[in-house]
């Protein structure tokens, strides 16, 4: 598709979660309809889209029915089968391509790809057996992180190995194999960059942001990251290199570590809008979701400009959702609810953005005060 998708066309979104929901809201503003493929009735994306095909991602008849309802296809999560996406790609343009999904789904392919284009990562080794694990531990050393190579997210399917006696139990517990052993990075902070790339190769990268996790789930994002300009610029260049290397059409997040020595190492890539880019909805003229829709629809990409500094705080599980009435009653907090009815522990239910003038991101106490009912307990 070399020309732009005309208004009132339909964008198919594989996946019904909050990323699809926020993409659909951005698409609607540009005059597009969205049609969602999900097994879930009343999914967050379905609730704001023109239509839904309800069914299993693995079912060819469901995939064909979905493709028949849409003009172009994208995906909002990565745990669909690449073969399913191949089938869709034989019927409609799929952006990003199944080849990009394959790399991001498989940590071993991801690390090989990154190192192959000159992007540094933690040292790593593929692990298929106890003997391979012992050899990898001997080479990489402890501490190290053992992860499943497929289908892990939010810290599931991984174990930190600190002592030799922990190695055997971690190997037995982690399935499916293969696994990957990574050197443990004693990072100074975690950052990420969301970059958009159009079919014509034009790119727009949002500013480098800083991410704080709790229980392996993103808790808070500071935009911009409070790091030296040179480091932020290195992260931008790294993300652009990844997008180009993948021949990406869409948006991509690159999660990175900054080491104690100030080196930038890539950890993980996600070829879709990303939780660490939610702040762009409120702090940028064109959000990551609009960039995503524009790239998928073949529209030009505007600059990834930022008019404000921002802090984004996730609302995870029942405890934080219980604060919703207080959140909507607090001036300055910009609330985002994902339309999920059941607040299970660890489930992302919504987020809140707080804006500050450019260059005016306060320190920890100022941010805690500005978050009102969501102030972290340890900052009080
Ligand atoms: P991942 O599933 O790879 O995104 O990992 C989830 C989180 O675990 C990261 O955001 C880090 O906080 C931590 N982590 C992952 N890999 C490493 C590593 N090699 N060294 C130190 N921490 C890590």
């Amino acid at each position: 598709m070399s020309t732009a998708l005309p208004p009132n066309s339909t964008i198919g979104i594989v996946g019904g979660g909050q990323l699809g929901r926020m993409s659909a809201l951005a698409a609607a503003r540009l005059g597009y309809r969205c049609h969602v493929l999900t097994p879930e009735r009343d999914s967050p994306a379905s609730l704001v889209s023109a239509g839904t095909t309800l069914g299993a991602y693995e079912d060819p008849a469901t995939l064909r029915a979905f493709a028949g309802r849409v003009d172009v296809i994208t995906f909002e999560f990565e745990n669909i089968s690449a073969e399913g996406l191949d089938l869709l790609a034989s019927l409609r343009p799929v952006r990003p391509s199944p080849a990009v999904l394959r790399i991001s789904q498989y940590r071993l392919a991801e690390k090989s790809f990154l190192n192959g284009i000159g992007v540094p990562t933690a040292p790593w080794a593929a692990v298929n057996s106890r003997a391979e694990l012992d050899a990898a531990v001997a080479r990489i050393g402890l501490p190290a992180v053992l992860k499943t190579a497929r289908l892990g997210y939010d810290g599931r399917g991984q174990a930190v190995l600190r002592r030799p006696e922990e190695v055997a139990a971690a190997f037995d517990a982690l399935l499916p194999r293969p696994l990957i052993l990574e050197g443990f990075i004693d990072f100074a902070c975690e950052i990420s960059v969301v970059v958009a790339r159009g079919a014509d190769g034009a790119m727009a990268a949002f500013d480098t942001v800083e991410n704080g996790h709790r229980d392996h789930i993103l808790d808070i994002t500071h935009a911009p990251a409070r790091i030296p300009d040179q480091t932020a610029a290195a992260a931008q260049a790294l993300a652009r290199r990844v997008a180009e290397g993948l021949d990406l059409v869409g948006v991509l997040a690159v999660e990175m570590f900054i080491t104690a020595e100030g080196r930038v190492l890539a950890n993980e890539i996600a070829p879709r809008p990303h939780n660490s880019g939610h702040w762009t909805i409120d702090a940028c003229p064109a959000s990551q979701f609009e960039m995503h829709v524009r790239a998928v629809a073949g529209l030009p990409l505007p600059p990834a400009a930022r008019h404000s500094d921002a802090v984004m705080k996730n609302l995870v599980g029942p405890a934080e959702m219980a604060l919703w009435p207080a959140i909507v009653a607090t001036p300055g907090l910009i609330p985002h609810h994902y339309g999920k009815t059941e607040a299970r522990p660890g489930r992302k239910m919504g987020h809140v953005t707080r804006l500050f003038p450019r260059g005016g991101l306060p320190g920890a106490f100022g941010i805690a005060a500005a978050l009102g009912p969501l102030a972290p307990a340890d900052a009080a």
Side-chain angles (χ1 to χ4, degrees):
M1 195 174 60
S2 54
T3 52
L5 197 66
N8 298 313
S9 303
T10 302
I11 298 175
I13 304 178
V14 178
Q18 62 268 17
L19 301 177
R21 178 184 178 95
M22 290 183 272
S23 299
L25 292 170
R29 250 185 20 175
L30 291 168
Y32 297 122
R33 300 166 192 195
C34 286
H35 186 94
V36 177
L37 172 62
T38 173
E40 185 192 350
R41 202 168 286 283
D42 289 338
S43 75
S46 302
L47 289 171
V48 301
S49 290
T52 295
T53 297
L54 262 187
Y57 301 122
E58 304 78 35
D59 175 31
T62 300
L63 294 172
R64 285 201 182 87
F66 167 69
R69 303 284 301 273
V70 307
D71 298 299
V72 61
I73 293 172
T74 188
F75 51 90
E76 63 105 42
F77 81 140
E78 290 143 273
N79 290 347
I80 46 168
S81 79
E83 292 70 29
L85 209 61
D86 285 338
L87 172 57
L88 293 176
S90 71
L91 301 167
R92 292 288 183 275
V94 172
R95 297 173 156 180
S97 69
V100 171
L101 179 75
R102 280 196 163 81
I103 292 175
S104 73
Q105 275 181 333
Y106 192 43
R107 291 186 195 273
L108 295 167
E110 184 180 68
K111 291 279 196 301
S112 302
F113 162 76
L114 289 168
N115 295 164
I117 59 166
V119 168
T121 60
W124 60 276
V127 170
N128 287 288
S129 65
R130 254 316 291 281
E132 278 183 8
L133 179 55
D134 291 342
V137 168
R139 180 166 72 77
I140 291 171
L142 295 180
V145 188
L146 189 62
K147 303 178 179 178
T148 54
R150 283 190 199 281
L151 294 182
Y153 73 99
D154 285 347
R156 274 176 256 179
Q158 55 179 276
V160 178
L161 310 181
R162 295 186 186 278
R163 296 189 309 274
E165 38 305 358
E166 292 168 353
V167 171
F171 179 76
D172 292 340
L174 284 174
L175 288 170
R177 290 172 194 144
L179 308 176
I180 180 172
L181 186 76
E182 296 178 14
F184 183 87
I185 306 301
D186 190 14
F187 52 78
C189 77
E190 292 190 83
I191 58 170
S192 59
V193 171
V194 172
V195 57
R197 187 169 180 274
D200 60 356
M203 286 193 275
F206 290 100
D207 280 333
T208 307
V209 301
E210 185 181 338
N211 301 317
H213 295 85
R214 208 174 51 192
D215 302 329
H216 292 286
I217 298 172
L218 182 66
D219 177 42
I220 197 159
T221 295
H222 294 86
R226 298 160 298 181
I227 56 176
D229 289 350
Q230 201 184 326
T231 314
Q236 298 272 306
L238 189 158
R240 285 173 180 268
R241 190 188 300 184
V242 172
E244 212 155 62
L246 288 171
D247 197 16
L248 176 85
V249 180
V251 300
L252 167 90
V254 185
E255 294 184 79
M256 294 165 258
F257 300 126
I258 303 182
T259 67
E261 304 79 41
R263 288 184 69 211
V264 177
L265 303 178
N267 174 35
E268 210 171 34
I269 61 181
R272 52 169 172 77
H274 192 257
N275 196 167
S276 69
H278 290 359
W279 62 276
T280 61
I281 299 175
D282 301 305
C284 301
S287 72
Q288 65 163 348
F289 298 101
E290 177 167 340
M291 290 287 189
H292 178 58
V293 170
R294 281 174 172 264
V296 168
L299 299 182
L301 301 180
R306 174 172 60 79
H307 54 68
S308 302
D309 286 6
V311 171
M312 188 286 309
K313 168 88 180 75
N314 265 344
L315 302 175
V316 179
E320 287 183 335
M321 277 322 275
L323 300 171
W324 185 257
I327 290 165
V328 294
T330 305
L333 293 186
I334 306 175
H336 297 256
H337 193 294
Y338 301 155
K340 300 177 186 178
T341 47
E342 199 192 336
R344 293 190 292 272
R347 193 172 195 211
K348 292 174 182 170
M349 301 299 295
H351 72 267
V352 161
T353 313
R354 175 77 207 219
L355 297 181
F356 303 90
R358 259 190 87 104
L361 205 58
F365 288 105
I367 288 173
L371 288 176
L374 289 164
D378 53 5

